[in-house]
Amino acid sequence: MTDSTHTTLATPRPAADRAAAVRDFLTAQSTLLLGVLAVLAIIFTILEPKFLSVPTASNILTDWGSVVLIAVGQTFVIISGGIDLSVGAVIGLSGVVAAWTMANVLDLEQTVKGPDAWFGLFIGTLVSVGVGLLVGLINAFLINILKIVPFIATLSTMGAALGLSVVISEGAPIGSANDFALISAISPQSNPLSPALILVILVVTVLGLYLHKSKFGLYTYAIGSNAFAARAAGINVARHLTWVYALSGALAGLAGMYVYIRLGAGSPSSGTGRELDAIAAVVIGGVSLMGGVGRMLGVIIGALILFTVQSGLIMIGVEPDWKKVVVAVLIAAAVAAQVLQKKDGR
Amino acid sequence: MGAEVIYEVRDASKSYGSVKALSGASLKLHAGEVIGLVGDNGAGKSTLVKVLSGAHQPSEGTILLDGEERTWGSPREALEAGIETLYQDSGLAPHLTVSQNLFLGREQMMPGILGKLGFLARKRMEVQGHDDLERVGIAVPASNRPVSALSGGQRQAVAIGRAVSWARKVIILDEPTNHLGARQAGEVLNVIRAAKAKGLGVIFISHTLPHVLEVTDRIVVLRLGRIVRDAPTSQFTPDSLIAAITGSADAEPGPTSAE
Ligand SMILES: Nc1ncnc2c1ncn2[C@@H]1O[C@H](COP(=O)(O)OP(=O)(O)O)[C@@H](O)[C@H]1O
Ligand SMILES: [Mg+2]
């Protein structure tokens, strides 16, 4: 009865489909970003030949490890249409609480060695992730129940977390479980393919697959794309967002432990400003701040670009104090590029 | 009609603060019947739709599905009972693909452990989504395209296709032909006929009166939150329908006319 005029177009043939897929890949954000990364590496190497070296790569990867975790959480949050400003402060707070627990609850001395140190770090990781999770749940409560917009809700928890970490640590780094043989074996600082970094890569890969292949990931996109349509389709939006902010918080807690292992101490200021790094990685990676758009691979490369630029500039002699300015410029440039791209019709 | 009543609302009222958007509305929908719901802007059409679809609880009144009294705590409950709604402005998630939108909220999972872990059977849904749309008479471009790449008419076709392919009992379409060209609107009417042929009850809201007169079996006229006319479509002419909507036929909002 209805085979007369169809709304449109037939399905494209498989061959054309494949050609389109190849074209899509070549123009895909991540390919473009890899190109940018390569060009940056070449430019810095020309300006400073020592740039192309294992220590530089190791430094970049180490920084990348701490920020990519919160950038991955931020990716879920921003794709869902929100933002999480608390993650940097949570790195500091979770590291401090973990160190405090190791020092005062487990009574570990600074010089603790062997299995006791491993046990301490294991408990520290649980505590650290737990602290992050708790902050994430508080964020979700403020957003879902008190209906505070995510920007303000997470700005408040950011302030509270910063303050609390100073109160608990009395303003100074807390050290514990400091078997330096152990720390340096797992620390990315001394070993580019350290267990800590491998764990980060594992977590990032699993969550990337989860974002793109699972129902949880799909609902995250759906809510960021059109929350009303998501609700009408029967999705429990508030419950989903609770999980999203909990995930972001837990990842910030894990990043807190990563930073603890790097420093060998829990420092209240260790995550300050990291939320900006994460947001920069996310927008450089092509995730739209409006929600609904973005790929995890882009964010992972975006974080690499961010730290390549930072360490490259330092190596060619730019004062480290300019770092935050550079991050801010990169955020603005990435968002401007997204707007232009949209005008181009993509 | 001889068919049984599948969906019914009795004396439903709904207020938004001091605004009485709906007062004492009653409606019976039979299987395989298309009801046209018409009225001026602000007459209460969308409010009645929201009551029927579970988006709002009526302040008063009862809802019966297959003769059983029901209350909907959420749209999800109505959906699960077989009532599909195409809201006026909800639309689709533009960044998701056609098939992701078609299956949103009712995804198919991969077999085995991966499915348990939450992984989706994407390919299967793309193929089946395409077939589902064809079955209800809608041909759309590749179902792995994002909805934002579709024209307004195509989007609407996907939204309606979604509702029709999922509906088991009732389908409610709130102004589905808005913003559509004549040809695309014609296709929407075809989809409504297909839904009717499937034995679904259809509630069709539209301001385009020729469409309403063309495709419905019965027309219900709302004015200022009240049902002022409920009669077989054959009893209306374009002029008498306009008169019923604007209230120029009977000076006062009169009682519901008997069949
Ligand atoms: N969410 C709401 N809050 C307050 N008033 C509303 C709301 N939705 C609808 N109304 C009011 O209820 C009345 C009926 O609206 P509606 O059902 O949308 O009419 P229609 O769909 O027929 O145009 C109007 O006066 C409208 O302004
Ligand atoms: Mg309306």
Side-chain angles (χ1 to χ4, degrees), chain B residues 5-48:
Chain B
V5 174
I6 43 176
Y7 203 33
E8 182 176 356
V9 56
R10 286 187 196 149
D11 285 323
S13 298
K14 174 80 193 171
S15 302
Y16 298 106
S18 61
V19 181
K20 190 130 195 189
L22 199 62
S23 0
S26 299
L27 190 69
K28 275 185 188 157
L29 179 64
H30 300 80
E33 183 184 34
V34 181
I35 292 184
L37 188 59
V38 296
D40 251 338
N41 277 329
K45 303 183 295 296
S46 295
T47 305
L48 180 53

Side-chain angles (χ1 to χ4, degrees), chain A residues 10-67:
Chain A
T11 327
R13 293 182 316 268
D17 229 6
R18 220 170 299 132
V22 171
R23 216 174 31 246
D24 271 4
F25 179 75
L26 290 179
T27 57
Q29 199 87 18
S30 48
T31 320
L32 199 78
L33 289 168
L34 276 179
V36 170
L37 187 61
V39 169
L40 283 170
I42 292 168
I43 291 174
F44 284 126
T45 307
I46 291 170
L47 293 173
E48 171 54 73
K50 270 186 269 168
F51 179 81
L52 201 66
S53 65
V54 174
T56 311
S58 172
N59 266 333
I60 292 175
L61 276 181
T62 302
D63 281 337
W64 176 85
S66 60
V67 161

Side-chain angles (χ1 to χ4, degrees), chain B residues 187-212:
Chain B
E187 283 163 11
V188 169
L189 299 189
N190 280 339
V191 173
I192 292 176
R193 292 191 187 98
K196 173 183 164 73
K198 260 174 80 175
L200 298 174
V202 182
I203 297 177
F204 171 50
I205 293 105
S206 178
H207 285 294
T208 315
L209 301 184
H211 290 163
V212 176

Side-chain angles (χ1 to χ4, degrees), chain A residues 265-325:
Chain A
S267 159
S269 59
S270 56
T272 309
R274 288 305 198 183
E275 66 285 342
L276 273 190
D277 289 344
I279 291 167
V282 166
V283 295
I284 292 170
V287 177
S288 163
L289 288 173
M290 312 299 289
V293 181
R295 309 275 314 168
M296 192 62 90
L297 191 56
V299 173
I300 292 166
I301 304 169
L304 271 177
I305 289 178
L306 179 71
F307 290 109
T308 301
V309 170
Q310 289 188 12
S311 54
L313 288 178
I314 289 172
M315 287 192 74
I316 63 172
V318 175
E319 286 289 320
D321 292 343
W322 283 89
K323 218 164 79 176
K324 287 228 167 74
V325 179

